[in-house]
Amino acid sequence: MAVFKPCFWDTSKPIEGKIPFENPVVEIGFGNGDFTLWLAERFPDRPVLAVDKWHPGVRALIHKCRQKRLNNLYVFNLDANLFVEYLLKPHQVEAFFFNYPDPFFKKRDLKRRLLKTSFLKWVAFKLQIGGKVYIRTDIADYYEYILEQLEPIKELFEVKTEFDIELPTTKYEQKALKEGRKPLKLLLVKVKDPKDITDREVEKLRALRLEKCNIENLKRGMEIKDPQRGYFLKVEHTYRSEDIDLVELYVGEEGFYQHLFVGVFKTPQGFVIKPKSFAVGTRSVSWAVEKLGELLQKEPNSFP
């Protein structure tokens, strides 16, 4: 299990176990991080976990946190679905905060909206009984969409339209107010657990030993899919050095993906490949390592 220091994003170690924090407060999608800093100061006796896929925002929040010398804020550069489903324990979280999630206006992108029934069910599973979900949006259509998505799981939450604490305005909210859009609020209070969810386990990530290795076999944009399990990998880039090569990958399953690096280590006995970056131990990553091993061992002239 990687050891996290406050405000430190350790990209050198994979995560191979659930995160150990007690009664954390979680913000999903923190943007520039100003609200996250407020959370860390508002709840100094609780770990505040901040999750976002946007690299510039992650770096900016870490910088701000170090300037303020906060010691209870932890930053994760991960997909929200992956984080909630795999890394949080059942009944672990005290509160979730979602400030102005991306509404994905285009019809073809509606499936990318985060606050849908399947995700909200996982949120309920990871919340303590009586735990809360604070949601703000300025898009009436998204607000109605969330209410619709809550309908199939209405027994899990008590739904309120006002918050029980006063939250500061975000930079995005200030812009919305200037443009005439008012914040719409939902407070979800967990009443009971979903019955049809089994917790997902984090796995130890595979390392493979190879007798031979042709890094030239990997081309940018190369994709492999397993339609039956919904897995995919895409080669983004390769980096060469004297002792270790790196393969930059996107690896996904069931609607989310990870951006990670796999190291190709040169040893006297051959080669070892294993995830080297801030990757989460999921079956799709182990599958991707196996597929990389197959590709790297092929003779260059064996490709169609």
Side-chain angles (χ1 to χ4, degrees):
M1 172 67 192
V3 177
F4 299 100
K5 299 178 181 178
C7 244
F8 188 66
W9 171 34
D10 186 350
T11 60
S12 67
K13 298 179 181 179
I15 303 176
E16 298 176 307
K18 292 191 180 291
I19 54 179
F21 304 104
E22 295 184 8
N23 305 319
V25 173
V26 179
E27 184 184 11
I28 304 290
F30 52 76
N32 68 5
D34 289 344
F35 178 82
T36 319
L37 297 177
W38 177 86
L39 277 179
E41 293 171 335
R42 172 69 169 75
F43 300 101
D45 59 338
R46 296 169 180 79
V48 173
L49 314 183
V51 186
D52 206 305
K53 291 195 297 185
W54 190 48
H55 291 264
V58 170
R59 291 193 295 268
L61 178 54
I62 291 174
H63 178 69
K64 292 174 182 177
C65 181
R66 285 173 172 163
Q67 285 185 321
K68 286 182 172 286
R69 298 184 179 180
L70 296 170
N71 61 6
N72 64 326
L73 175 57
Y74 302 79
V75 183
F76 297 84
N77 185 210
L78 292 171
D79 184 286
N81 293 277
L82 174 68
F83 181 83
V84 172
E85 293 180 25
Y86 278 91
L87 295 188
L88 295 175
K89 302 174 186 177
H91 316 127
Q92 182 180 17
V93 178
E94 184 172 322
F96 283 95
F97 291 84
F98 297 88
N99 289 306
Y100 303 96
D102 194 330
F104 291 106
F105 290 109
K106 295 180 180 179
K107 189 174 182 179
R108 68 173 182 270
D109 290 332
L110 291 182
K111 62 183 179 181
R112 299 176 62 190
R113 286 180 168 177
L114 180 62
L115 298 177
K116 50 181 174 282
T117 301
S118 57
F119 180 73
L120 290 166
K121 193 183 293 186
W122 277 103
V123 167
F125 187 48
K126 301 308 172 83
L127 271 174
Q128 305 164 3
I129 294 293
K132 299 172 182 178
V133 184
Y134 296 84
I135 302 170
R136 288 190 281 186
T137 180
D138 62 320
I139 307 300
D141 173 69
Y142 197 11
Y143 185 81
E144 294 299 326
Y145 172 86
I146 298 169
L147 290 174
E148 291 172 3
Q149 294 297 305
L150 284 167
E151 187 62 26
I153 53 172
K154 58 185 178 182
E155 74 279 4
L156 304 183
F157 295 107
E158 178 185 359
V159 180
K160 303 180 181 182
T161 56
E162 291 294 334
F163 293 162
D164 56 358
I165 58 175
E166 186 175 348
L167 302 182
T169 59
T170 68
K171 185 176 180 180
Y172 178 88
E173 183 176 312
Q174 293 169 6
K175 177 184 176 183
L177 289 169
K178 287 181 180 178
E179 295 174 357
R181 300 190 305 276
K182 295 182 179 180
L184 302 167
K185 303 175 184 178
L186 284 174
L187 173 60
L188 314 180
V189 183
K190 179 179 173 178
V191 176
K192 61 189 297 186
D193 274 329
K195 295 181 179 179
D196 56 347
I197 281 187
T198 302
D199 198 26
R200 298 185 187 275
E201 293 301 324
V202 188
E203 301 185 350
K204 187 173 180 59
L205 290 166
R206 287 200 65 181
L208 291 182
R209 292 190 177 277
L210 308 177
E211 292 184 0
K212 58 183 179 179
C213 178
N214 295 308
I215 195 75
E216 295 83 3
N217 290 348
L218 304 181
K219 308 299 181 184
R220 184 170 187 175
M222 179 181 285
E223 294 187 19
I224 299 178
K225 297 181 180 180
D226 183 333
Q228 186 173 0
R229 289 183 287 183
Y231 298 167
F232 76 87
L233 74 82
K234 180 180 179 180
V235 177
E236 181 66 14
H237 215 293
T238 57
Y239 303 88
R240 309 295 303 275
S241 70
E242 186 174 340
D243 298 317
I244 178 176
D245 298 330
L246 289 177
V247 183
E248 184 179 2
L249 290 179
Y250 287 99
V251 178
E253 60 176 285
E254 298 179 19
F256 59 79
Y257 69 86
Q258 299 190 60
H259 178 212
L260 64 143
F261 290 85
V262 174
V264 181
F265 301 86
K266 305 174 181 73
T267 73
Q269 294 77 34
F271 301 86
V272 175
I273 63 171
K274 63 181 180 179
K276 178 156 176 58
S277 66
F278 198 68
V280 178
T282 63
R283 292 181 181 180
S284 58
V285 174
S286 294
W287 166 84
V289 170
E290 291 178 3
K291 292 301 178 184
L292 275 185
E294 294 173 8
L295 289 172
L296 290 168
Q297 292 185 96
K298 283 188 174 183
E299 295 297 333
N301 58 9
S302 68
F303 286 85

